[in-house]
Amino acid sequence: MIREYEIIETGDGSHTLKLAGEKMTFHSDRGAIQESQHVFVKTGFDHFIQKSVPGEPVAVFEVGLGTGLNALLTAIAATQKHKEVLYYSIDRYPLPAEIYTKLNYPDLLKAPVLYKAIMQAGWEELLPVAPFFSLQKINGDLSNYTFNRQFDIIYFDAFAPGDQEEMWTENIYGKMYDALHPGGLLVTYCSKGNVRRALVQAGFTVEKLAGPPGKREIIRANK
Ligand SMILES: C[S@@+](CC[C@H](N)C(=O)[O-])C[C@H]1O[C@@H](n2cnc3c(N)ncnc32)[C@H](O)[C@@H]1O
């Protein structure tokens, strides 16, 4: 199936994507960069590295590479903080170059070389793409993916439960829990009560935290 995408400008001037014929977008329409930075980098990565052992790499697993925005922001943070990151990201539907080359993240974040390195990196092997940042892109379906290592942080950035309910099940949360090291954490932009309760069922201790503009609360779930 060929997927068609529309590029949309969000409230902070950064782009997001919408699947043609569907209502869901890849990011908040209030601001894609603002949302990714707040939910994943600040609440997930920055929080985790405060308590991590200096000199030890941090392993991140992302659900949904999509535009590569979370990967780019994390690579920038890793370089600024001199923290080595091993970043694994799964996507069932990798974006074609004709779409991602039109996105304005490299200009807005002044990181054209880094963005290109991330989006053009090969798949299925862990490759150094920048100082402090190695990336393994995985072309696969999270539902039947078998983890072969554990992680410190999971960025759970699937489409919303109302749009893709098969990604928000107790079975998936259990897989996420098992894929984390003790002390690891999962962050997501969705704070619905049934998501929170199912994460608790899976074994997580769940925190509700302030969201980015337009989103009252987000979740950080701790193992
Ligand atoms: C909300 S978007 C991700 C946004 C992305 N993190 C970014 O910064 O652009 C959700 C992503 O999940 C991917 N996806 C959908 N179903 C999937 C599945 N079953 N397994 C893995 N990825 C999936 C989509 O192709 C899409 O790129």
Side-chain angles (χ1 to χ4, degrees), residues 66-154:
T67 63
L69 177 57
N70 290 337
L72 177 61
L73 289 169
T74 305
I76 291 170
T79 307
Q80 285 169 348
K81 293 176 180 169
H82 288 206
K83 186 73 183 170
E84 194 185 339
V85 174
L86 311 176
Y87 196 98
Y88 297 75
S89 187
I90 191 166
D91 209 297
R92 189 172 175 185
Y93 309 103
L95 275 187
E98 69 192 68
I99 299 296
Y100 69 69
T101 50
K102 296 193 180 105
L103 298 172
N104 62 5
Y105 309 137
D107 295 338
L108 294 178
L109 296 167
K110 299 184 176 43
V113 175
L114 184 52
Y115 189 60
K116 196 170 168 187
I118 289 169
M119 298 313 279
Q120 291 189 351
W123 292 75
E124 318 308 340
E125 59 179 325
L126 186 65
L127 300 164
V129 297
F132 301 102
F133 192 78
S134 298
L135 173 65
Q136 180 164 350
K137 299 195 294 193
I138 302 156
N139 185 196
D141 180 348
L142 180 72
S143 322
N144 56 28
Y145 180 68
T146 306
F147 289 93
N148 52 18
R149 60 158 297 153
Q150 283 186 305
F151 301 90
D152 300 301
I153 306 171
I154 294 176

Coordinates of all heavy atoms in Angstrom, one line a residue, residues 66-154:
G66 N 9.1 7.6 12.5 CA 8.3 8.6 11.8 C 9.3 9.6 11.1 O 10.1 9.2 10.3
T67 N 9.1 10.9 11.5 CA 9.9 11.9 10.8 C 11.3 12.0 11.3 O 12.1 12.8 10.8 CB 9.3 13.3 11.1 OG1 9.3 13.5 12.6 CG2 7.8 13.4 10.7
G68 N 11.7 11.2 12.4 CA 13.0 11.3 13.0 C 13.2 12.4 13.9 O 14.3 12.7 14.4
L69 N 12.1 13.2 14.2 CA 12.2 14.3 15.1 C 12.7 14.0 16.5 O 13.6 14.7 17.0 CB 10.9 15.1 15.2 CG 10.9 16.3 16.1 CD1 12.0 17.3 15.7 CD2 9.5 17.0 16.1
N70 N 12.1 13.0 17.1 CA 12.6 12.6 18.5 C 14.1 12.2 18.4 O 14.8 12.4 19.4 CB 11.8 11.4 19.0 CG 10.3 11.8 19.4 OD1 10.1 13.0 19.6 ND2 9.4 10.9 19.4
A71 N 14.4 11.4 17.4 CA 15.8 11.0 17.3 C 16.8 12.2 17.2 O 17.8 12.3 17.8 CB 16.0 10.1 16.1
L72 N 16.3 13.2 16.3 CA 17.2 14.3 16.1 C 17.3 15.1 17.4 O 18.5 15.5 17.8 CB 16.6 15.2 15.0 CG 17.3 16.5 14.7 CD1 18.7 16.3 14.2 CD2 16.5 17.3 13.7
L73 N 16.2 15.4 18.1 CA 16.3 16.2 19.4 C 17.2 15.4 20.4 O 17.9 16.1 21.2 CB 14.9 16.4 19.9 CG 14.1 17.4 19.1 CD1 12.6 17.4 19.5 CD2 14.7 18.8 19.2
T74 N 17.1 14.1 20.4 CA 17.8 13.3 21.4 C 19.3 13.4 21.0 O 20.2 13.5 21.9 CB 17.3 11.9 21.5 OG1 15.9 11.9 21.8 CG2 18.0 11.1 22.6
A75 N 19.6 13.3 19.7 CA 21.0 13.4 19.3 C 21.6 14.7 19.7 O 22.8 14.8 20.1 CB 21.1 13.1 17.8
I76 N 20.8 15.8 19.5 CA 21.3 17.1 19.9 C 21.6 17.2 21.4 O 22.6 17.7 21.8 CB 20.3 18.2 19.4 CG1 20.3 18.3 17.9 CG2 20.6 19.6 20.0 CD1 19.1 19.1 17.3
A77 N 20.6 16.6 22.2 CA 20.8 16.7 23.6 C 22.0 15.8 24.0 O 22.8 16.2 24.9 CB 19.5 16.1 24.3
A78 N 22.2 14.7 23.4 CA 23.4 13.8 23.7 C 24.7 14.5 23.5 O 25.6 14.5 24.3 CB 23.3 12.5 22.9
T79 N 24.7 15.3 22.4 CA 26.0 16.0 22.0 C 26.2 17.1 23.0 O 27.3 17.3 23.5 CB 25.9 16.6 20.6 OG1 25.5 15.5 19.7 CG2 27.1 17.2 20.1
Q80 N 25.1 17.8 23.4 CA 25.3 19.0 24.3 C 25.7 18.5 25.7 O 26.5 19.1 26.4 CB 23.9 19.7 24.4 CG 23.6 20.6 23.2 CD 22.2 21.1 23.3 OE1 21.3 20.7 24.0 NE2 21.9 22.1 22.4
K81 N 25.2 17.3 26.1 CA 25.4 16.8 27.4 C 26.6 15.8 27.5 O 26.9 15.3 28.6 CB 24.1 16.2 28.0 CG 23.2 17.3 28.2 CD 21.8 17.0 28.6 CE 21.1 18.3 28.7 NZ 19.7 18.3 28.9
H82 N 27.2 15.5 26.4 CA 28.3 14.6 26.3 C 27.9 13.2 26.9 O 28.6 12.6 27.7 CB 29.5 15.1 27.0 CG 30.2 16.2 26.2 ND1 31.6 16.5 26.3 CD2 29.7 17.1 25.3 CE1 31.9 17.5 25.5 NE2 30.8 17.9 24.9
K83 N 26.7 12.8 26.6 CA 26.2 11.5 27.1 C 26.0 10.6 25.9 O 25.3 10.9 25.0 CB 24.8 11.8 27.8 CG 24.3 10.5 28.5 CD 25.0 10.3 29.7 CE 24.6 9.0 30.4 NZ 25.5 8.6 31.5
E84 N 26.6 9.4 26.0 CA 26.5 8.5 24.9 C 25.2 7.8 24.8 O 24.7 7.3 25.9 CB 27.6 7.4 25.0 CG 27.8 6.7 23.7 CD 28.8 5.5 23.8 OE1 29.6 5.5 24.7 OE2 28.6 4.6 22.9
V85 N 24.5 7.9 23.7 CA 23.2 7.3 23.5 C 23.2 6.2 22.4 O 23.8 6.4 21.4 CB 22.2 8.4 23.1 CG1 20.8 7.8 22.8 CG2 22.1 9.4 24.2
L86 N 22.6 5.1 22.8 CA 22.4 4.0 21.8 C 20.9 4.1 21.5 O 20.1 3.8 22.4 CB 22.8 2.6 22.4 CG 24.1 2.6 23.0 CD1 24.4 1.2 23.7 CD2 25.2 2.9 22.0
Y87 N 20.5 4.5 20.4 CA 19.1 4.8 20.1 C 18.5 3.8 19.1 O 19.0 3.6 18.0 CB 19.0 6.2 19.5 CG 17.7 6.9 19.4 CD1 17.3 7.8 20.4 CD2 16.8 6.6 18.4 CE1 16.0 8.4 20.4 CE2 15.5 7.3 18.4 CZ 15.2 8.2 19.4 OH 14.0 8.8 19.3
Y88 N 17.5 3.1 19.5 CA 16.8 2.1 18.6 C 15.4 2.6 18.3 O 14.7 3.0 19.2 CB 16.7 0.7 19.4 CG 18.1 0.1 19.7 CD1 18.8 0.7 20.8 CD2 18.6 -1.0 19.0 CE1 20.1 0.1 21.1 CE2 19.8 -1.5 19.4 CZ 20.6 -1.0 20.4 OH 21.8 -1.5 20.8
S89 N 15.0 2.5 17.1 CA 13.7 3.0 16.7 C 13.1 2.1 15.7 O 13.6 1.8 14.7 CB 13.9 4.5 16.2 OG 12.6 5.0 16.0
I90 N 11.8 1.7 16.0 CA 11.1 0.8 15.1 C 10.0 1.6 14.4 O 9.4 2.6 14.9 CB 10.4 -0.3 15.9 CG1 9.9 -1.4 15.0 CG2 9.3 0.2 16.8 CD1 9.5 -2.7 15.7
D91 N 9.9 1.3 13.1 CA 8.7 1.8 12.3 C 8.3 0.8 11.3 O 9.1 0.2 10.6 CB 9.1 3.2 11.7 CG 7.8 4.0 11.5 OD1 6.9 3.6 10.8 OD2 7.7 5.1 12.2
R92 N 7.0 0.6 11.2 CA 6.5 -0.3 10.2 C 6.4 0.3 8.9 O 6.5 -0.4 7.9 CB 5.1 -0.7 10.7 CG 4.5 -1.8 9.9 CD 3.2 -2.3 10.6 NE 2.6 -3.3 9.7 CZ 1.4 -3.8 10.0 NH1 0.7 -3.4 11.0 NH2 0.9 -4.7 9.2
Y93 N 6.3 1.6 8.8 CA 6.1 2.3 7.5 C 7.2 3.4 7.4 O 6.8 4.6 7.6 CB 4.7 2.9 7.4 CG 3.6 2.0 7.7 CD1 3.0 2.0 9.0 CD2 3.2 1.0 6.8 CE1 1.9 1.1 9.3 CE2 2.2 0.1 7.1 CZ 1.6 0.2 8.3 OH 0.5 -0.7 8.6
P94 N 8.4 3.1 7.1 CA 9.4 4.1 7.0 C 9.0 5.2 6.0 O 8.4 4.9 4.9 CB 10.7 3.4 6.5 CG 10.5 2.0 6.9 CD 9.0 1.8 6.8
L95 N 9.3 6.5 6.3 CA 9.0 7.6 5.4 C 9.8 7.6 4.2 O 11.1 7.5 4.3 CB 9.2 8.9 6.2 CG 8.1 9.4 7.1 CD1 8.5 10.8 7.5 CD2 6.7 9.4 6.4
P96 N 9.2 7.9 3.1 CA 10.1 8.1 1.9 C 10.9 9.4 1.9 O 10.4 10.4 2.5 CB 9.1 8.1 0.7 CG 7.7 8.4 1.3 CD 7.8 8.0 2.8
A97 N 12.1 9.4 1.3 CA 12.9 10.6 1.3 C 12.2 11.8 0.7 O 12.5 12.9 1.1 CB 14.2 10.3 0.5
E98 N 11.3 11.5 -0.3 CA 10.7 12.7 -0.9 C 9.8 13.5 0.1 O 9.5 14.6 -0.1 CB 9.8 12.3 -2.1 CG 8.6 11.5 -1.7 CD 7.9 10.8 -2.9 OE1 8.5 9.9 -3.4 OE2 6.8 11.2 -3.2
I99 N 9.4 12.8 1.2 CA 8.7 13.5 2.3 C 9.7 14.1 3.3 O 9.6 15.3 3.6 CB 7.7 12.5 3.0 CG1 6.7 12.0 2.0 CG2 7.0 13.2 4.1 CD1 5.8 13.1 1.3
Y100 N 10.6 13.3 3.9 CA 11.3 13.8 5.0 C 12.3 14.9 4.6 O 12.7 15.7 5.4 CB 12.0 12.7 5.8 CG 13.1 11.9 5.2 CD1 14.4 12.5 4.9 CD2 13.0 10.5 4.9 CE1 15.4 11.7 4.4 CE2 14.0 9.8 4.3 CZ 15.2 10.4 4.1 OH 16.3 9.7 3.5
T101 N 12.7 14.9 3.3 CA 13.6 16.0 2.9 C 12.9 17.4 2.8 O 13.5 18.4 2.6 CB 14.2 15.7 1.5 OG1 13.2 15.3 0.6 CG2 15.2 14.5 1.6
K102 N 11.6 17.3 2.9 CA 10.8 18.6 2.8 C 10.5 19.2 4.2 O 10.0 20.3 4.3 CB 9.5 18.4 2.0 CG 9.7 18.0 0.6 CD 8.4 18.2 -0.2 CE 8.6 17.8 -1.6 NZ 8.0 16.5 -2.0
L103 N 10.8 18.4 5.2 CA 10.5 18.9 6.6 C 11.5 20.0 7.1 O 12.6 19.9 6.7 CB 10.5 17.7 7.5 CG 9.5 16.6 7.2 CD1 9.6 15.4 8.1 CD2 8.0 17.2 7.3
N104 N 11.0 20.9 7.9 CA 11.8 22.0 8.2 C 12.6 21.9 9.5 O 13.2 22.8 10.0 CB 11.0 23.3 8.3 CG 9.9 23.3 9.4 OD1 9.8 22.4 10.1 ND2 9.1 24.3 9.4
Y105 N 12.7 20.6 10.1 CA 13.4 20.4 11.4 C 14.9 20.8 11.2 O 15.5 21.4 12.1 CB 13.3 19.0 11.9 CG 11.8 18.5 12.0 CD1 11.5 17.2 11.6 CD2 10.8 19.3 12.5 CE1 10.2 16.8 11.7 CE2 9.5 18.9 12.6 CZ 9.2 17.6 12.1 OH 7.9 17.1 12.2
P106 N 15.6 20.3 10.2 CA 17.0 20.6 10.1 C 17.3 22.1 10.1 O 18.3 22.6 10.7 CB 17.5 19.9 8.8 CG 16.3 19.5 8.1 CD 15.1 19.4 9.1
D107 N 16.4 22.9 9.4 CA 16.6 24.3 9.4 C 16.3 25.0 10.7 O 17.1 25.7 11.3 CB 15.7 25.0 8.3 CG 16.0 24.5 6.9 OD1 17.1 24.1 6.7 OD2 15.1 24.6 6.1
L108 N 15.2 24.6 11.3 CA 14.8 25.2 12.6 C 15.8 24.8 13.7 O 16.1 25.7 14.6 CB 13.4 24.8 13.0 CG 12.3 25.3 12.1 CD1 10.9 24.7 12.6 CD2 12.2 26.8 12.1
L109 N 16.3 23.6 13.7 CA 17.2 23.2 14.7 C 18.7 23.3 14.3 O 19.6 22.9 15.1 CB 16.9 21.7 15.1 CG 15.5 21.5 15.6 CD1 15.1 20.0 15.7 CD2 15.4 22.1 17.1
K110 N 18.9 23.9 13.2 CA 20.3 24.2 12.7 C 21.1 22.9 12.7 O 22.2 22.9 13.3 CB 20.9 25.3 13.5 CG 20.2 26.6 13.4 CD 20.9 27.7 14.1 CE 20.2 29.1 13.9 NZ 18.7 29.1 14.0
A111 N 20.5 21.8 12.2 CA 21.2 20.5 12.3 C 21.0 19.7 11.0 O 20.6 18.6 11.0 CB 20.7 19.7 13.5
P112 N 21.4 20.4 9.8 CA 21.1 19.7 8.5 C 21.9 18.4 8.4 O 21.4 17.4 7.9 CB 21.4 20.7 7.5 CG 22.3 21.7 8.1 CD 21.9 21.7 9.6
V113 N 23.2 18.4 8.8 CA 24.0 17.2 8.6 C 23.6 16.1 9.5 O 23.5 14.9 9.1 CB 25.5 17.6 8.9 CG1 26.4 16.4 8.8 CG2 26.0 18.7 7.9
L114 N 23.2 16.4 10.7 CA 22.8 15.4 11.7 C 21.4 14.8 11.2 O 21.3 13.6 11.2 CB 22.6 16.0 13.1 CG 22.3 15.1 14.2 CD1 23.2 13.9 14.3 CD2 22.3 15.9 15.5
Y115 N 20.5 15.6 10.8 CA 19.2 15.1 10.3 C 19.4 14.1 9.1 O 18.8 13.1 9.1 CB 18.3 16.2 10.0 CG 16.8 15.7 9.7 CD1 16.1 15.1 10.7 CD2 16.2 15.9 8.5 CE1 14.8 14.6 10.5 CE2 14.9 15.5 8.3 CZ 14.2 14.8 9.3 OH 13.0 14.4 9.0
K116 N 20.2 14.6 8.2 CA 20.5 13.7 7.0 C 21.1 12.4 7.4 O 20.8 11.3 7.0 CB 21.4 14.5 6.1 CG 21.5 14.0 4.7 CD 22.2 14.9 3.8 CE 22.5 14.3 2.5 NZ 23.4 15.1 1.6
A117 N 22.1 12.5 8.4 CA 22.7 11.3 8.8 C 21.7 10.3 9.5 O 21.8 9.1 9.3 CB 23.8 11.6 9.8
I118 N 20.8 10.8 10.2 CA 19.8 10.0 10.9 C 18.9 9.4 9.8 O 18.6 8.2 9.8 CB 19.0 10.8 11.9 CG1 19.8 11.2 13.1 CG2 17.7 10.1 12.3 CD1 19.3 12.2 14.1
M119 N 18.4 10.2 8.9 CA 17.3 9.7 8.0 C 17.9 8.8 6.9 O 17.2 8.0 6.3 CB 16.6 10.9 7.4 CG 15.8 11.7 8.4 SD 14.8 10.7 9.6 CE 13.3 10.3 8.6
Q120 N 19.2 9.0 6.6 CA 19.8 8.2 5.6 C 20.6 7.0 6.1 O 21.1 6.2 5.4 CB 20.8 9.0 4.7 CG 20.1 10.0 3.9 CD 21.0 10.8 2.9 OE1 22.2 10.6 2.9 NE2 20.4 11.5 2.0
A121 N 20.6 6.9 7.5 CA 21.4 5.7 8.1 C 20.7 4.4 7.6 O 19.5 4.3 7.4 CB 21.3 5.8 9.6
G122 N 21.5 3.4 7.5 CA 21.0 2.1 7.1 C 20.1 1.5 8.2 O 20.1 2.0 9.3
W123 N 19.4 0.4 7.9 CA 18.5 -0.2 8.8 C 19.1 -1.5 9.3 O 19.9 -2.1 8.7 CB 17.2 -0.5 8.0 CG 16.4 0.8 7.7 CD1 16.7 1.6 6.7 CD2 15.3 1.3 8.3 NE1 15.8 2.7 6.7 CE2 14.9 2.5 7.7 CE3 14.5 0.9 9.4 CZ2 13.9 3.3 8.0 CZ3 13.4 1.7 9.8 CH2 13.1 2.9 9.1
E124 N 18.6 -1.9 10.5 CA 18.8 -3.2 11.1 C 20.2 -3.4 11.7 O 20.6 -4.5 12.0 CB 18.5 -4.3 10.1 CG 17.2 -4.2 9.3 CD 15.9 -3.9 10.1 OE1 15.9 -4.1 11.3 OE2 15.0 -3.4 9.5
E125 N 21.0 -2.3 11.7 CA 22.3 -2.5 12.5 C 22.6 -1.2 13.2 O 22.2 -0.1 12.8 CB 23.4 -2.9 11.6 CG 23.8 -1.9 10.5 CD 25.0 -2.4 9.6 OE1 25.9 -3.0 10.2 OE2 24.9 -2.2 8.4
L126 N 23.2 -1.3 14.4 CA 23.6 -0.2 15.2 C 24.8 0.5 14.6 O 25.8 0.0 14.5 CB 23.8 -0.6 16.6 CG 24.0 0.5 17.7 CD1 22.8 1.3 17.9 CD2 24.5 -0.1 19.0
L127 N 24.6 1.8 14.2 CA 25.6 2.5 13.5 C 25.9 3.9 14.2 O 24.9 4.6 14.6 CB 25.1 2.9 12.0 CG 24.8 1.7 11.2 CD1 24.0 2.1 10.0 CD2 26.0 1.0 10.7
P128 N 27.2 4.3 14.3 CA 27.4 5.6 14.8 C 27.0 6.6 13.8 O 27.5 6.6 12.6 CB 29.0 5.6 15.0 CG 29.5 4.5 14.2 CD 28.4 3.5 13.9
V129 N 26.2 7.6 14.2 CA 25.8 8.6 13.2 C 26.3 10.0 13.6 O 26.3 10.9 12.8 CB 24.3 8.7 12.9 CG1 23.8 7.4 12.3 CG2 23.5 9.0 14.1
A130 N 26.7 10.1 14.8 CA 27.2 11.4 15.3 C 28.0 11.1 16.6 O 27.8 10.0 17.2 CB 26.1 12.3 15.6
P131 N 28.9 12.0 17.0 CA 29.6 11.8 18.3 C 28.5 11.7 19.4 O 27.5 12.4 19.4 CB 30.4 13.1 18.5 CG 30.5 13.7 17.2 CD 29.3 13.3 16.4
F132 N 28.6 10.7 20.2 CA 27.6 10.4 21.3 C 26.3 9.8 20.9 O 25.4 9.7 21.7 CB 27.4 11.7 22.2 CG 28.6 12.3 22.8 CD1 29.2 13.4 22.3 CD2 29.1 11.7 23.9 CE1 30.4 13.9 22.9 CE2 30.3 12.2 24.5 CZ 30.9 13.3 24.0
F133 N 26.1 9.5 19.6 CA 24.8 9.0 19.2 C 24.9 7.9 18.1 O 25.4 8.1 17.0 CB 24.0 10.2 18.6 CG 22.6 9.9 18.4 CD1 21.7 9.9 19.4 CD2 22.1 9.6 17.1 CE1 20.3 9.6 19.2 CE2 20.7 9.3 16.9 CZ 19.8 9.3 18.0
S134 N 24.6 6.7 18.5 CA 24.5 5.6 17.6 C 23.0 5.2 17.4 O 22.2 5.3 18.3 CB 25.2 4.4 18.1 OG 26.6 4.7 18.3
L135 N 22.7 4.7 16.2 CA 21.3 4.5 15.9 C 21.1 3.2 15.2 O 21.9 2.8 14.3 CB 20.9 5.7 14.9 CG 19.5 5.6 14.2 CD1 18.4 5.7 15.3 CD2 19.4 6.7 13.2
Q136 N 20.1 2.5 15.6 CA 19.6 1.3 14.9 C 18.2 1.5 14.5 O 17.3 1.6 15.4 CB 19.8 0.0 15.7 CG 19.3 -1.2 14.9 CD 19.7 -2.5 15.4 OE1 20.5 -2.6 16.3 NE2 19.2 -3.6 14.9
K137 N 17.9 1.6 13.2 CA 16.5 1.8 12.7 C 16.0 0.3 12.4 O 16.7 -0.4 11.8 CB 16.5 2.6 11.5 CG 17.0 4.0 11.8 CD 16.7 5.1 10.7 CE 17.3 4.8 9.4 NZ 17.2 5.9 8.4
I138 N 14.8 0.1 12.9 CA 14.3 -1.3 12.7 C 13.0 -1.2 11.9 O 12.1 -0.5 12.3 CB 13.9 -1.9 14.1 CG1 15.2 -1.9 15.0 CG2 13.3 -3.3 14.0 CD1 14.9 -1.9 16.5
N139 N 13.0 -1.8 10.8 CA 11.8 -1.8 9.9 C 10.9 -3.0 10.4 O 11.2 -4.1 9.9 CB 12.1 -1.9 8.5 CG 10.9 -1.7 7.5 OD1 11.0 -2.1 6.4 ND2 9.8 -1.3 8.1
G140 N 9.9 -2.8 11.2 CA 9.2 -3.9 11.8 C 7.9 -3.4 12.4 O 7.6 -2.2 12.5
D141 N 7.1 -4.4 12.9 CA 5.8 -4.2 13.5 C 6.0 -4.4 15.0 O 6.4 -5.5 15.4 CB 4.8 -5.1 12.9 CG 3.4 -5.0 13.4 OD1 3.3 -4.3 14.5 OD2 2.5 -5.6 12.9
L142 N 5.7 -3.4 15.8 CA 5.9 -3.6 17.2 C 5.2 -4.8 17.8 O 5.6 -5.4 18.7 CB 5.5 -2.3 18.0 CG 5.7 -2.3 19.5 CD1 7.1 -2.3 19.9 CD2 4.9 -1.2 20.2
S143 N 4.0 -5.0 17.2 CA 3.1 -6.1 17.8 C 3.8 -7.4 17.8 O 3.5 -8.3 18.6 CB 1.8 -6.2 17.0 OG 1.4 -5.0 16.6
N144 N 4.6 -7.7 16.8 CA 5.3 -9.0 16.8 C 6.8 -8.9 16.9 O 7.5 -9.9 16.6 CB 4.8 -9.9 15.6 CG 5.1 -9.1 14.3 OD1 6.1 -8.3 14.2 ND2 4.4 -9.4 13.2
Y145 N 7.3 -7.8 17.3 CA 8.7 -7.6 17.4 C 9.3 -8.3 18.7 O 8.7 -8.1 19.8 CB 9.1 -6.1 17.5 CG 10.5 -5.8 17.6 CD1 11.4 -6.1 16.5 CD2 11.1 -5.3 18.8 CE1 12.8 -5.9 16.7 CE2 12.4 -5.0 18.9 CZ 13.3 -5.4 17.8 OH 14.6 -5.1 17.9
T146 N 10.4 -9.0 18.6 CA 11.0 -9.6 19.8 C 12.2 -8.8 20.2 O 13.1 -8.7 19.3 CB 11.4 -11.1 19.4 OG1 10.3 -11.8 18.9 CG2 11.9 -11.8 20.6
F147 N 12.2 -8.4 21.4 CA 13.4 -7.6 21.8 C 14.6 -8.5 22.1 O 14.4 -9.6 22.7 CB 13.0 -6.8 23.1 CG 12.0 -5.7 22.9 CD1 10.7 -5.9 23.0 CD2 12.5 -4.5 22.5 CE1 9.8 -4.9 22.8 CE2 11.6 -3.4 22.3 CZ 10.3 -3.6 22.4
N148 N 15.8 -8.0 21.7 CA 16.9 -8.9 22.0 C 17.9 -8.2 22.9 O 19.1 -8.6 23.0 CB 17.6 -9.3 20.7 CG 17.9 -8.2 19.8 OD1 17.9 -7.0 20.3 ND2 18.2 -8.4 18.5
R149 N 17.4 -7.1 23.6 CA 18.2 -6.5 24.6 C 17.3 -5.6 25.5 O 16.1 -5.5 25.2 CB 19.3 -5.6 24.1 CG 18.8 -4.4 23.2 CD 19.9 -3.3 23.1 NE 20.1 -2.7 24.4 CZ 21.2 -2.1 24.8 NH1 22.2 -2.0 23.9 NH2 21.4 -1.6 26.0
Q150 N 17.8 -5.0 26.6 CA 17.0 -4.2 27.4 C 17.4 -2.7 27.3 O 18.5 -2.4 26.8 CB 17.0 -4.6 28.9 CG 16.2 -5.9 29.1 CD 16.1 -6.2 30.6 OE1 17.2 -6.4 31.2 NE2 15.0 -6.4 31.1
F151 N 16.5 -1.9 27.7 CA 16.7 -0.4 27.5 C 16.5 0.3 28.8 O 16.0 -0.2 29.8 CB 15.6 0.1 26.4 CG 15.8 -0.6 25.1 CD1 15.1 -1.8 24.9 CD2 16.7 -0.2 24.2 CE1 15.2 -2.5 23.7 CE2 16.8 -0.8 23.0 CZ 16.1 -2.0 22.7
D152 N 17.0 1.6 28.8 CA 16.8 2.5 29.9 C 15.6 3.3 29.8 O 14.9 3.7 30.8 CB 18.0 3.4 30.1 CG 19.3 2.6 30.2 OD1 19.4 1.8 31.2 OD2 20.2 2.7 29.4
I153 N 15.3 3.7 28.5 CA 14.1 4.6 28.3 C 13.4 4.1 27.1 O 14.0 3.8 26.1 CB 14.7 6.1 28.0 CG1 15.6 6.6 29.0 CG2 13.5 7.0 27.8 CD1 16.3 7.9 28.6
I154 N 12.0 4.2 27.2 CA 11.2 3.9 26.0 C 10.4 5.2 25.7 O 9.7 5.8 26.6 CB 10.2 2.8 26.2 CG1 11.0 1.5 26.4 CG2 9.2 2.7 25.1 CD1 10.2 0.2 26.7

